[in-house]
């Protein structure tokens, strides 16, 4: 195998790298009652915490939702698993451990807001949370389009079919295959098979190339949604992880806006590399063509709002807390764009004035 940048080498001999630390060494942070309450809400300030604190929050969520009890997890194994997860996120500008935490915290918030405990099984909840935690493991910072066009090792391995998402899944189960990190060790093999399949389905659903297909499938079910229908529930879970994955704009402006800079930084790194390697460049990643407002407006109007409004049909309680902030964010960026456009217009007229002089 060519030198593989990912932590886990999928060579034929099947040797696996073990995480560097085999003892959970993050200090036991006791979360304040204030933090515990805030953790359930989309307004939670995800920038305020260091890695150890985020690990403690994730650990708390697993205990609070009753997942530790339900799956008979060893609490020490849960700590080790979370540490192994954190170590396998890279320090990309956007696709990093803090993004993993954001998506997981939003999932936890949606479980509470939508009262999913009453509608779904504890197994479903474990699947939702675990898929959220694992969904971008070992992301290299360059998207599927780059992988495929550059014919990277991942694209070759996965035959151009969602190379990144397949890799995130593989790394997730590589970590779970280590006995000291296997939070599902006490689950019977048949149940584990089902959990594994469901987690894979959810992580693969985060490929935005499948956005239209997945949302359309949910739209067909939402008006006569049946929580006893396995296919309906699977489709809902796919839409929930999608919502959480791209939910930054649901958060307050001061929390959401820095993420846009992080994403653009990652996009620009990719487009610069594509230019230097003579590969096609997507206009939305091109530093010469993109501004923060243009990057966000279309995404909020045509991707985020339609998806969240569809979920709102099933859970009307999200309108005020999740959908309204999206509409406000859209308005905020449209105002910024008007200011940008006015500035550009002013520059143009100034330049014309200079030329005519």
């Amino acid at each position: 195998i060519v030198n593989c940048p990912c932590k886990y080498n999928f060579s034929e001999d099947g040797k696996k790298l073990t995480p560097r630390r085999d003892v959970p060494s993050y200090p036991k942070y006791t979360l304040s009652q204030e933090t515990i309450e805030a953790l359930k809400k989309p307004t939670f300030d995800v920038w305020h915490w260091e890695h150890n604190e985020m690990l403690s929050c994730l650990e708390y969520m697993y205990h609070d939702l009753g997942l530790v009890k339900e799956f008979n997890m060893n609490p020490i194994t849960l700590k080790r698993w979370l540490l192994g997860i954190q170590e396998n996120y890279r320090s990309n500008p956007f696709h990093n451990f803090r993004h993993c935490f954001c998506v997981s915290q939003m999932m936890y918030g949606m479980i509470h807001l939508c009262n999913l405990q009453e509608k779904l099984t504890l197994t479903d909840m474990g699947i939702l949370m675990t898929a959220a935690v694992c969904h971008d493991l070992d992301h290299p910072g360059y998207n599927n389009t780059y992988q495929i066009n550059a014919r990277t090792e991942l694209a070759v391995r996965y035959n151009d079919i969602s190379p990144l998402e397949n890799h995130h899944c593989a790394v997730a189960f590589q970590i779970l295959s280590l006995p000291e990190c296997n939070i599902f060790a006490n689950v019977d093999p048949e149940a584990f098979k089902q959990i594994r399949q469901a987690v894979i389905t959810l992580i693969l659903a985060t490929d935005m190339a499948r956005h239209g297909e997945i949302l359309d499938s949910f739209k067909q079910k939402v008006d006569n949604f049946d929580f006893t229908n396995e296919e309906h529930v699977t489709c809902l879970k796919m839409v929930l992880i999608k919502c959480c994955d791209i939910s930054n704009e649901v958060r307050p402006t001061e929390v959401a806006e820095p993420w846009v800079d992080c994403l653009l930084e990652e996009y620009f790194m990719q487009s610069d590399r594509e230019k230097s390697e003579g590969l096609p460049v997507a206009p939305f990643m091109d530093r010469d063509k993109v501004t923060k407002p243009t990057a966000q407006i279309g995404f909020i109007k045509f991707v985020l709002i339609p998806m969240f409004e569809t979920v709102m049909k099933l859970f009307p309680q999200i309108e005020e807390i999740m959908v309204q902030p999206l509409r406000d964010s859209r308005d905020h960026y449209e105002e910024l764009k008007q200011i940008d456009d006015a500035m550009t217009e002013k520059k143009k007229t100034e330049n014309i004035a200079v030329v005519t002089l």
Side-chain angles (χ1 to χ4, degrees), residues 3 38-39 72 174 193 216 225 241 248 253 260 281 283 356:
N3 67 324
L39 205 49
N72 192 11
Q174 202 88 48
K193 242 187 218 175
D216 285 345
F225 196 86
I241 195 169
N248 282 333
T253 309
V260 185
V281 177
T356 48

Side-chain angles (χ1 to χ4, degrees), residues 34-216:
E34 189 188 4
T35 301
I36 285 172
E37 273 317 297
L39 205 49
K40 296 186 170 83
K41 299 184 175 75
T43 48
F44 189 77
D45 186 356
V46 295
W47 294 106
H48 183 81
W49 312 91
E50 49 176 280
H51 280 188
N52 282 334
E53 297 172 303
M54 292 190 280
L55 287 167
S56 287
C57 287
L58 291 168
E59 182 184 2
Y60 170 80
M61 293 174 205
Y62 270 74
H63 281 279
D64 177 61
L65 290 170
L67 302 177
V68 177
K69 223 178 186 158
E70 173 69 11
F71 298 106
N72 192 11
M73 292 178 194
N74 176 341
I76 305 296
T77 305
L78 175 62
K79 285 177 182 285
R80 268 194 301 251
W81 174 69
L82 286 168
L83 203 55
I85 294 291
Q86 185 219 309
E87 287 177 339
N88 282 280
Y89 274 91
R90 302 195 197 182
S91 47
N92 298 313
F94 185 96
H95 291 100
N96 52 40
F97 180 63
R98 195 174 300 275
H99 166 67
C100 148
F101 177 74
C102 280
V103 176
S104 308
Q105 186 267 327
M106 190 63 74
M107 182 65 81
Y108 178 71
M110 285 193 87
I111 287 171
H112 283 288
L113 182 58
C114 303
N115 281 319
L116 294 179
Q117 292 107 317
E118 294 173 14
K119 309 272 188 191
L120 302 179
T121 65
L122 272 168
T123 298
D124 283 326
M125 238 97 70
I127 289 161
L128 283 167
M129 286 304 300
T130 303
V133 167
C134 297
H135 86 281
D136 269 332
L137 274 166
D138 197 45
H139 194 299
Y142 299 89
N143 72 8
N144 281 330
T145 304
Y146 175 82
Q147 304 297 322
I148 293 165
N149 290 338
R151 303 177 183 179
T152 64
E153 194 182 338
L154 282 182
V156 172
R157 177 180 302 145
Y158 293 114
N159 309 306
D160 296 348
I161 302 164
S162 304
L164 289 178
E165 292 73 20
N166 272 296
H167 180 60
H168 306 321
C169 284
V171 175
F173 285 97
Q174 202 88 48
I175 294 169
L176 283 170
S177 75
L178 304 166
E180 68 275 17
C181 295
N182 186 4
I183 54 171
F184 298 117
N186 299 326
V187 168
D188 75 86
E190 213 32 61
F192 179 76
K193 242 187 218 175
Q194 287 189 312
I195 292 167
R196 170 169 158 79
Q197 192 45 64
V199 168
I200 291 169
T201 298
L202 294 200
I203 295 177
L204 293 181
T206 61
D207 183 352
M208 284 302 290
R210 295 178 55 204
H211 176 77
E213 159 217 328
I214 293 168
L215 185 54
D216 285 345

Side-chain angles (χ1 to χ4, degrees), residues 246-247 249 299-309 326:
I246 56 177
S247 64
E249 289 302 329
F299 189 68
I300 296 169
K301 280 166 76 163
F302 303 115
V303 179
L304 287 174
I305 291 176
M307 178 163 68
F308 278 86
E309 284 183 341
L326 287 175

